Amino acid sequence: MSTRAPLVVVGDALLDQDIDGDAHRLAPDAPAPVVDVTDDRSRPGGAGLAAALAARDGREVTLVTALGQDPASQAVREALAGRVRLVELPLHGSLPVKTRVRAAGRPLVRVDRGGGHCGEPGDAVRSVLASGQPLLVADYGRGTADAVRAELARAAARAPLLWDPHPRGGAPVPGTRLATPNAAEARALCPRDDTSVRADAARGAWLAHRWQAAAVAVTLGERGALLVEAGSDRPMLVPAPYRAQGDPCGAGDCFAAATAGALADGALPEEAVQRGVAEAAAFVAAGGAGAGDLWGASPTTRTDARRSVDAFELAASVRAAGGTVVATGGCFDLLHAGHVGLLESARRIGDCLIVCVNSDESIARLKGPGRPLTPVADRVRVLSGLGSVDAVAVFGETTPEPLLRKLRPDLWVKGGDYSVDALPEAAALREWGGQALVLPYLDGRSTTSLADRAARSAARAAAGEPRR
């Protein structure tokens, strides 16, 4: 059983469809691309997606939404069965269906159809909203939040409530713990010519006052989110942990679901926003709302907030595509300018860069007592955060040769004053036709010299000598 707090999601469910294919020609009767369809998938969108994402870690999630008797409503019910508990309002009409037609993964056109209006809430809906459980309002401006606005206003006084607003929807109810407009929505609500971060912070503060919300987080896409608490003149920028490349569809729902879950578990707003930003980045990197794993996996499967890349899978895929696999290695105990320059240069000569890192035990054998200064988990995290590094692999032996025989890179790169023939890994590279290379290294930069300099500085400070 999950130890996470239950969460109630309120909002407008949709049905999202992706029609994927290839476009290599124009139609004979119009200058329009012809898409040869290779895949056609449907999934819950809107509040339905937010609820499914909130339930990925085993959290108990109840979705309050309007559904009808049309095929799209039934498709959403079937997709969410076993993932979330549904408590329905009547939908008079049909559920909105949003269809993206994509070629080579890039949208060509979106077609929207369907729609209806939400009926009055019944006793089951009122009971859920009066339960005192934390809430996420995923408002898509189609009437669900408006239909239960009075109940949400009362609920905000009893439990944390996160409101993800929509330009066509109503304002968050007073007492909202955190409202999460994106930058475009905030700029539409509070127009001004300036689009700087400073201006976005001012918009967030103005919206917090206008909405009587405890805080506003203005989401900035791949840049992260800007958190502004009511009455504070110190906004906090929460950057994304890395630049995610992928389909951003549904990233806002992922951010809202992760942030609301964190608030439900007792996190402070800044902690909750950090979790939301990290999970949204991982969500985009993993393929967004259309990723097959999202809907094919068990509802209790959680996407890690920091997607890790398997070095062996990466090397195999790059080789299969005819690319060049580059590897380098070392302790990387204190990352410095020499390391960064080497890694950037190494990445430019191939199609991927894999860094082979000594384990803590391996460094202790090589460097002696007192090393490493930084544990391997931290070293891997720092290296993985560099834009030049595609994957990191750890080895426990004294040399990386056993690891290299598994990776089989095309190029092995080292920096410094080695000669190629003197590189101990050069013979191993020749076994599969690889090549060892030496790249220039910045003089005077090494972990040992940095550590020695720090030790001397500390000794002088302890002796009361002036800093040099």
Side-chain angles (χ1 to χ4, degrees):
M1 180 179 294
S2 173
T3 58
R4 298 179 180 274
L7 183 69
V8 176
V9 178
V10 180
D12 309 298
L14 314 169
L15 183 67
D16 288 342
Q17 293 182 330
D18 281 340
I19 298 175
D20 288 300
D22 299 311
H24 301 295
R25 66 189 191 280
L26 295 178
D29 56 342
V34 176
V35 178
D36 295 313
V37 176
T38 58
D39 195 14
D40 187 345
R41 291 174 293 173
S42 299
R43 62 183 183 275
L49 174 61
L53 292 170
R56 281 188 301 170
D57 56 8
R59 187 186 304 277
E60 177 188 329
V61 175
T62 300
L63 172 61
V64 176
T65 193
L67 295 174
Q69 301 306 313
D70 55 297
S73 293
Q74 187 57 31
V76 167
R77 287 189 187 97
E78 292 174 358
L80 293 176
R83 297 175 181 272
V84 304
R85 174 193 173 206
L86 273 173
V87 178
E88 299 181 18
L89 289 83
L91 176 67
H92 304 296
S94 60
L95 196 73
V97 179
K98 298 180 181 293
T99 303
R100 294 190 302 173
V101 180
R102 304 190 300 180
R106 296 189 175 185
L108 295 179
V109 66
R110 196 182 90 180
V111 179
D112 291 1
R113 61 186 186 274
H117 64 275
C118 181
E120 292 296 318
D123 290 341
V125 170
R126 293 190 178 93
S127 176
V128 169
L129 298 182
S131 65
Q133 295 181 359
L135 291 117
L136 161 62
V137 178
D139 187 11
Y140 274 74
R142 293 183 177 271
T144 302
D146 291 337
V148 293
R149 186 171 184 85
E151 289 81 359
L152 292 173
R154 289 190 288 270
R158 293 190 294 263
L161 186 153
L162 184 147
W163 194 295
D164 191 13
H166 192 279
R168 292 197 301 267
V173 297
T176 291
R177 179 73 58 85
L178 182 66
T180 59
N182 62 38
E185 293 163 348
R187 291 166 188 173
L189 290 165
C190 184
R192 60 176 68 185
D193 294 335
D194 193 350
T195 59
S196 66
V197 170
R198 181 178 180 179
D200 285 333
R203 292 185 183 95
W206 182 81
L207 289 171
H209 175 75
R210 175 185 173 185
W211 289 337
Q212 300 178 51
V216 168
V218 180
T219 57
L220 306 174
E222 64 183 17
R223 291 188 295 162
L226 190 63
L227 176 63
V228 183
E229 296 189 345
S232 172
D233 59 355
R234 296 181 179 180
M236 174 183 291
L237 180 62
V238 180
Y242 54 98
R243 185 174 182 179
Q245 301 291 329
D247 185 356
C249 180
D253 294 304
C254 181
F255 171 82
T259 305
L263 289 175
D265 293 337
L268 297 172
E270 55 266 32
E271 296 170 329
V273 170
Q274 286 175 350
R275 186 187 301 180
V277 168
E279 294 215 12
F283 176 79
V284 171
D293 289 347
L294 175 61
W295 299 105
S298 164
T300 59
T301 299
R302 180 186 182 90
T303 300
D304 192 86
R306 171 62 168 158
R307 185 183 65 152
S308 61
V309 178
D310 184 272
F312 301 99
E313 292 180 1
L314 175 64
S317 65
V318 170
R319 275 197 299 269
T324 299
V325 179
V326 183
T328 189
C331 299
F332 298 97
D333 200 3
L334 287 178
L335 197 68
H336 52 72
H339 290 139
V340 173
L342 170 68
L343 296 172
E344 290 176 342
S345 298
R347 181 61 179 84
R348 286 194 292 268
I349 63 177
D351 297 290
C352 74
L353 174 63
I354 299 171
V355 179
C356 304
V357 179
N358 295 72
S359 69
D360 292 344
E361 295 77 15
S362 176
I363 293 179
R365 289 195 301 269
L366 289 169
K367 305 292 185 178
R371 299 285 297 275
L373 301 172
T374 308
V376 68
D378 290 353
R379 289 184 280 127
V380 168
R381 182 173 182 182
V382 170
L383 287 166
S384 299
L386 298 178
S388 56
V389 176
D390 297 291
V392 180
V394 179
F395 63 94
E397 297 81 7
T398 303
T399 75
E401 288 185 33
L403 175 59
L404 291 176
R405 288 191 169 92
K406 295 179 182 178
L407 283 173
R408 300 174 69 85
D410 301 291
L411 299 174
W412 171 252
V413 175
K414 291 290 284 186
D417 54 0
Y418 295 97
S419 67
V420 171
D421 293 335
L423 288 176
E425 301 83 15
L429 267 290
R430 288 193 289 269
E431 294 176 10
W432 55 86
Q435 175 67 53
L437 297 173
V438 174
L439 295 182
Y441 203 63
L442 290 176
D443 290 337
R445 273 82 167 185
S446 74
T447 299
T448 301
S449 64
L450 285 174
D452 289 345
R453 193 183 314 157
R456 290 194 298 270
S457 178
R460 287 195 298 269
E465 297 179 14
R467 297 182 61 182
R468 298 176 184 176

